[in-house]
Amino acid sequence: MPHDQHADAPLRLFNSLTRAVEPFAPIDPGHARVYSCGPTVYNYAHLGNLRAYVFTDTLRRTLLWKGMHVTHIINITDVGHLTSDADAGDDKMEAAARAQAKSIWDIAAHYTDAFKQNIADLNIIEPSEWTVATDYVPQMIEFAKKIAPAHCYELESGLYFDSSSVPDYGALAGGRDDAAHARIDPVAGKRNPSDFAIWRKSPPGEQRQMEWDSPWGKGAPGWHLECSVMSEARLGHPFDIHTGGIDHREIHHPNEIAQNQAYCGCTDAQPGFTGARWWMHNNFLVDRQGKMSKSKGGFTTLFSLIDAGVHPLAYRLLCLGAHYRSELEFSAESVGAALTRLKRLVMAVEGLKARAEGVTWQSPRLDYLRANLHTKLSPLLEQFDAAISDDLMTPRALPLLEEAIALKKVPVDEKLCLVAAFDQALGLNLLELSRADLRIMPKGAQITPEEIEAELDRRQSARAAKDFGLSDEIRDILIARGVEVMDGDPLRWDWRPELG
Ligand code: AMP
Ligand code: ZN
């Protein structure tokens, strides 16, 4: 039955600049330009890093849901990020190359490929473009030449940005915090503790694997420079949204903003210019030891989760179950619960697909859905739209998906249209996944699927003969070997994830 037209819920996003949720509209009507700080490819991404990209993907899918065209850039940091997150210490890439006795280029290629595999496994839409820091060094030098006269000074170790040369340095972080900067950054001769390197000269007598000629001598760019340069080169300043993890709100992004202000030279003409209109940050994934971090080691990767028998989209679902601005705890229990929730969703959608055979339900368009949905479903569509338009409230959107699937007396094709529409925003791949796809054999499994099937046949015979003692015994043996027996499940059994 046709339903009344509803206006779109207005899209509202939290802006870290104002610490407020604000109505969002792109600078170019209908076209949003987004830049996301990408991974430093000296090691595998951990699950916390990947939360940052599930967040940006949710943002991108929501912009698409609202009918916008999106240009999305993610960079690959293959130079410049120092082990101390500041200006002293080794380049993370140089250190990893030394430790593994490989060239930096090999290290970068290996971990970039691994990251792209993670992105694909999480059903994250590929960015419109990956920008690689080392491809932009000449542009970084040009950028530095332009800002140097009015904003930089030279020390023996490199060219430094004078953070007092721009108004409101550190506003994004909630004000400048010299004490915090002084703690992390012991470079002698800096004018202000929060000054930072634009160019790091190679120490005399030492050859770095990655170094370039510059007006300030042989060396390598400072880490913050790349994001200012690549966002300007690919999106133009100002663009719409800049994203990163919440740690970037404190140093990396304030430094980018300072550089952008210096480069545009328009601090007086355009007060409040930062280079991007929205700065958005995801909160941390934590575990019982605290924030998950690469430098602490012992972190969990998506690869190790898959090796343990957990489908990667269960991790995506875990992320969507929390709002991106809340801390999220990762544990065996939380990811196990997300896997169970995903299985229920996939089984339910498989059931709908089986009932809808021969009916077309693909490619739902929102305006079509709005006009044609069953009256029982249309309020769910509006509530879903309102939830994701409210600063990407996925924890409120997910139960609406579950509610839609469970509704009785609704035509199955309409339900599938709605699920497909919701999944365009959620990215759980619900219409492609099958229950069997979710049964991932843990790497350490001690029993083969054939042996399990044989045991279950034996159990079925025992039950047929009403020998429930033997039936329970077989079930217990399988549990001890890491296999769950599931009487109501069409697959009959599943692996128990081998999580620590
Ligand atoms: P990196 O590879 O260290 O440059 O980090 C890549 C992205 O992951 C950045 O946006 C970080 O802010 C983000 N990030 C780092 N640790 C976490 C964490 N534990 N939880 C969520 N995001 C994180
Ligand atoms: Zn960045």
Side-chain angles (χ1 to χ4, degrees), residues 37 227 252 256:
C37 284
C227 290
H252 181 49
E256 266 190 61

Side-chain angles (χ1 to χ4, degrees), residues 40-297:
T40 309
V41 285
Y42 73 105
N43 203 336
Y44 295 108
H46 58 61
L47 292 176
N49 300 132
L50 295 174
R51 185 182 188 203
Y53 304 101
V54 172
F55 153 60
T56 58
D57 192 52
T58 307
L59 172 65
R60 176 159 177 192
R61 287 171 180 274
T62 301
L63 295 167
L64 292 170
W65 167 277
K66 301 307 278 182
M68 286 172 227
H69 173 68
V70 183
T71 303
H72 183 205
I73 305 288
I74 302 182
N75 70 294
I76 299 288
T77 297
D78 58 352
V79 66
H81 197 167
L82 302 190
T83 45
S84 70
D85 261 6
D87 293 323
D90 245 347
D91 187 302
K92 289 187 183 192
M93 299 295 300
E94 295 263 355
R98 251 196 325 275
Q100 297 184 33
K102 287 191 178 142
S103 84
I104 291 196
W105 306 101
D106 289 344
I107 295 280
H110 176 77
Y111 293 116
T112 301
D113 287 351
F115 181 72
K116 289 183 177 172
Q117 181 64 51
N118 291 159
I119 292 294
D121 286 345
L122 289 168
N123 200 29
I124 289 171
I125 304 174
E126 280 234 21
S128 321
E129 201 179 326
W130 297 98
T131 56
V132 179
T134 48
D135 290 344
Y136 282 82
V137 176
Q139 289 93 320
M140 291 189 225
I141 293 172
E142 288 309 309
F143 189 106
K145 272 162 62 180
K146 185 168 166 193
I147 65 173
H151 298 276
C152 302
Y153 58 93
E154 219 171 321
L155 295 177
E156 216 166 283
S157 54
L159 182 71
Y160 286 82
F161 190 96
D162 181 345
S163 57
S164 66
S165 70
V166 289
D168 272 357
Y169 172 82
L172 178 70
R176 74 190 296 141
D177 182 353
D178 283 345
H181 282 277
R183 259 196 316 278
I184 58 164
D185 202 353
V187 176
K190 285 203 314 189
R191 293 182 189 162
N192 310 288
S194 50
D195 293 356
F196 54 90
I198 292 285
W199 189 260
R200 297 173 298 117
K201 294 184 202 174
S202 300
E206 197 182 298
Q207 194 179 354
R208 288 184 177 142
Q209 277 198 45
M210 277 184 172
E211 55 182 18
W212 293 261
D213 287 321
S214 84
W216 315 282
K218 255 195 194 353
W223 172 40
H224 317 293
L225 194 54
E226 66 177 79
C227 290
S228 283
V229 168
M230 292 191 287
S231 62
E232 213 280 327
R234 307 315 303 155
L235 299 175
H237 285 174
F239 58 94
D240 295 300
I241 307 176
H242 195 312
T243 76
I246 198 156
D247 47 338
H248 287 350
R249 202 180 66 182
E250 308 309 314
I251 293 176
H252 181 49
H253 289 170
N255 291 356
E256 266 190 61
I257 288 173
Q259 293 168 157
N260 296 348
Q261 290 175 336
Y263 187 74
C264 112
C266 53
T267 46
D268 295 330
Q270 275 182 273
F273 178 91
T274 64
R277 299 253 299 264
W278 256 260
W279 293 77
M280 295 180 69
H281 298 99
N282 62 278
N283 210 325
F284 289 135
L285 182 77
V286 298
D287 57 22
R288 279 169 198 151
Q289 279 75 51
K291 176 199 156 196
M292 206 176 269
S293 93
K294 282 187 210 175
S295 48
K296 266 196 323 204

Side-chain angles (χ1 to χ4, degrees), residues 406-484:
L407 270 184
K408 302 260 186 303
K409 299 201 175 108
V410 173
V412 68
D413 53 332
E414 288 195 28
K415 257 194 200 185
L416 280 167
C417 276
L418 193 64
V419 170
F422 285 179
D423 202 43
Q424 283 176 2
L426 299 170
L428 291 168
N429 211 10
L430 290 177
L431 290 154
E432 307 300 324
L433 277 182
S434 70
R435 172 72 187 88
D437 294 331
L438 298 179
R439 190 165 74 184
I440 296 182
M441 184 167 167
K443 228 177 173 180
Q446 303 288 328
I447 181 169
T448 65
E450 293 71 29
E451 285 171 302
I452 299 168
E453 292 290 352
E455 284 293 292
L456 285 180
D457 288 344
R458 208 157 69 82
R459 180 166 179 261
Q460 211 157 23
S461 310
R463 282 161 75 99
K466 301 216 169 350
D467 186 349
F468 296 112
L470 179 59
S471 159
D472 287 351
E473 200 178 299
I474 294 169
R475 188 197 57 208
D476 292 344
I477 290 170
L478 286 173
I479 287 175
R481 301 187 74 182
V483 177
E484 192 100 54

